[in-house]
Amino acid sequence: TLTFRIPHPVEPTLEIRSLLAKFQTVIRLPFRDAVARDKAVRWMNQWSTSKCIPPLLLCQHLAELSLGFEETPIRWCTRQRPKPFTDGDTVIEAVHDGKSHCSAFRSWAHSWHSEGAVKQHSVAVTLPLTPRGEPEAFAEAIPLHVFFPTYERLSLYALVHASFELKTSRDHVRDSEYDQSVLDELGAVVERLIRRVPAQVTLRAFVPHDSTSDGVARRIQERIIHILTRVAFIPCIGGETQTVKLARRYEPYLGAALDVSAAELAHESLVEPGLVADAPSRAALKELGGPELTGADYPRLLRFCRNGTYVECKVAFETLARVVGQFAPKHQHTDDWKVFRDACRLVPCWWTSTAR
C-alpha cells in the first residue's frame, strides 16, 4: 500500500488539466532534485529500447503507462495478457519518438494466499519470445524482480519474479517468515517451465554463469540447480530424455558422424548431437556435472556411424582420425592400446568388401 501526503492543493498546469478531464484524481510528485530527474530520464531512455523489459510486464492490472518527459515521451500498452499470474503470453507495445515496437514474452506463474499474510504472494518466470513465437533466453542476466527490478543480482538469463518482502528502499530483499514458501512455489513453476521448453533454452537461461551471487539470489540459484539435476529433460539419441547426471556429452564432431537411428545407440544415454553442438548448452552440461564419454568410448561408438555414401564415409574417416589423435593411449602394446586399436579397426567403411 502506498500512502501519499498531499500538503496543499496547487493550481493545475495545462497538462494536469488535460489529465483531470479523463481521471478523477491526479497526483503530481516532483523530483527531489535535478540529479534525480536526470536519473529518471536515463531509466526512461533505457526502457524505450526494444531490448529492455517493459515496466508493464509484471503489472497485472495496468493496461497502459505513459511517461511524459518533454524530451522523451513514451507510452506502453498491453496488447495481450493472460489472467493474473497464470501461464501465458504477454505482448506489450511501446511507442517512443513516433515509433512503435512490440515485445512478446511467455510466463509461467502462480499466486496464493499464505496463512497469516496480509498480501497475496506470487511467483513468475518469464522468457522473451522470438518473432516466430518461440521462447528463448534473455541476451543478458536479469536481476531478481519483485514486480520491478531489485539490486539482488541473479546470474540467470531469465526474468524471475518472487514476492519476497523488500526493505524500505525496495532495492533489496529482507528476511520474512514466508521466504520458504515463496522458494517452494518458485521451484514448482521452474520445473513446469523446464518440462515445456527445449532443453537448449533451459540450459542457456537457468545455469548460472558465475557463483558470485549471495543472499536470496544464491538460494534461488541453488534451488533451480537442484531442479535441473533432478528432472529428466535432456534429449538423448533414441528419443528418451535423461537427467543431467545420466546424459553423456561428447565432442561435437562425433555427433556429426553418428547414425542416430542405430538401435545400438539408444541405450547409451548420449545427448542429442544438436544440443552437444550448441557451445553454451555443452558448457552448461559440464557446469552441472554431466558425465563425459571416455576416450575408449569414441571408437566403440563410431562403429555406428553413417557410412552409406562416400561423403558420409569421408566424415566418419575424418572423425576416426581425430579420435585417434585425441584419445589414443600414449603407450603402445599395452592392453588399453590394443583394445583401442581393435575398436578402431571395426569402424565400418562402405567401399571395402567387409564394410570395415
Side-chain angles (χ1 to χ4, degrees), residues 171-189:
D171 290 336
H172 294 282
V173 170
R174 62 179 175 86
D175 292 338
S176 165
E177 61 183 302
Y178 304 108
D179 286 359
Q180 190 58 49
S181 65
V182 172
L183 279 172
D184 291 343
E185 295 298 339
L186 178 61
V189 167

Side-chain angles (χ1 to χ4, degrees), residues 181-203:
S181 65
V182 172
L183 279 172
D184 291 343
E185 295 298 339
L186 178 61
V189 167
V190 170
E191 181 170 342
R192 191 163 73 243
L193 180 155
I194 289 173
R195 297 183 184 278
R196 297 182 183 180
V197 303
Q200 177 176 311
V201 175
T202 294
L203 293 170

Side-chain angles (χ1 to χ4, degrees), residues 1-268:
T1 301
L2 295 177
T3 301
F4 297 102
R5 178 181 297 173
I6 304 177
H8 56 81
V10 296
E11 286 297 318
T13 63
L14 291 176
E15 185 178 19
I16 298 297
R17 288 182 186 279
S18 66
L19 290 172
L20 285 171
K22 301 178 183 178
F23 303 99
Q24 186 71 26
T25 302
V26 177
I27 299 174
R28 181 175 182 268
L29 300 176
F31 292 111
R32 182 176 62 250
D33 50 33
V35 174
R37 184 181 186 280
D38 291 342
K39 183 178 181 180
V41 170
R42 289 197 301 273
W43 281 348
M44 191 171 65
N45 286 332
Q46 292 173 359
W47 280 339
S48 69
T49 66
S50 59
K51 295 182 180 179
C52 187
I53 299 171
L56 278 182
L57 181 57
L58 293 169
C59 299
Q60 303 296 302
H61 303 287
L62 285 181
E64 182 175 327
L65 174 63
S66 298
L67 294 181
F69 287 108
E70 293 181 0
E71 298 93 334
T72 53
I74 184 171
R75 177 169 57 92
W76 294 273
C77 300
T78 303
R79 299 305 183 194
Q80 177 182 330
R81 185 189 295 279
K83 293 181 180 180
F85 288 107
T86 59
D87 298 357
D89 294 352
T90 299
V91 178
I92 297 175
E93 180 186 19
V95 180
H96 177 246
D97 197 23
K99 301 177 182 179
S100 69
H101 65 263
C102 287
S103 303
F105 305 86
R106 182 163 299 162
S107 296
W108 290 260
H110 178 60
S111 64
W112 72 99
H113 287 283
S114 298
E115 184 177 354
V118 297
K119 68 175 184 180
Q120 188 181 48
H121 285 102
S122 60
V123 293
V125 182
T126 300
L127 295 172
L129 297 180
T130 68
R132 299 176 59 181
E134 300 169 345
E136 63 177 352
F138 280 96
E140 57 187 26
I142 307 297
L144 173 67
H145 278 55
V146 182
F147 293 100
F148 297 102
T150 70
Y151 286 172
E152 303 289 353
R153 181 175 176 270
L154 290 173
S155 299
L156 306 176
Y157 286 56
L159 189 157
V160 174
H161 155 74
S163 56
F164 292 105
E165 298 292 332
L166 291 176
K167 295 181 179 180
T168 305
S169 65
R170 294 192 59 83
D171 290 336
H172 294 282
V173 170
R174 62 179 175 86
D175 292 338
S176 165
E177 61 183 302
Y178 304 108
D179 286 359
Q180 190 58 49
S181 65
V182 172
L183 279 172
D184 291 343
E185 295 298 339
L186 178 61
V189 167
V190 170
E191 181 170 342
R192 191 163 73 243
L193 180 155
I194 289 173
R195 297 183 184 278
R196 297 182 183 180
V197 303
Q200 177 176 311
V201 175
T202 294
L203 293 170
R204 284 178 169 231
F206 293 105
V207 177
H209 289 65
D210 62 61
S211 56
T212 58
S213 300
D214 55 15
V216 68
R218 178 179 291 276
R219 283 184 285 160
I220 290 172
Q221 293 179 178
E222 289 175 348
R223 177 61 64 93
I224 291 176
I225 289 176
H226 173 72
I227 295 169
L228 290 174
T229 56
R230 182 174 56 82
V231 177
F233 73 97
I234 305 297
C236 293
I237 293 175
E240 293 187 357
T241 55
Q242 293 284 9
T243 64
V244 168
K245 298 300 185 182
L246 294 178
R248 300 198 293 170
R249 55 191 170 84
Y250 46 87
E251 295 290 344
Y253 64 78
L254 178 66
L258 291 178
D259 178 6
V260 296
S261 64
E264 294 85 351
L265 295 179
H267 308 292
E268 295 284 348

Side-chain angles (χ1 to χ4, degrees), residues 277-332:
D278 180 61
S281 297
R282 192 167 68 254
L285 288 171
K286 181 179 181 180
E287 181 69 23
L288 291 171
E292 187 173 18
L293 291 184
T294 66
D297 286 324
Y298 279 79
R300 179 180 64 82
L301 294 174
L302 199 52
R303 288 183 299 162
F304 311 109
C305 62
R306 294 183 292 114
N307 67 332
T309 67
Y310 167 78
V311 173
E312 291 177 345
C313 195
K314 184 174 182 289
V315 171
F317 179 79
E318 292 171 347
T319 301
L320 178 60
R322 294 186 67 175
V323 166
V324 171
Q326 186 172 355
F327 297 109
K330 294 181 179 180
H331 302 289
Q332 297 186 10

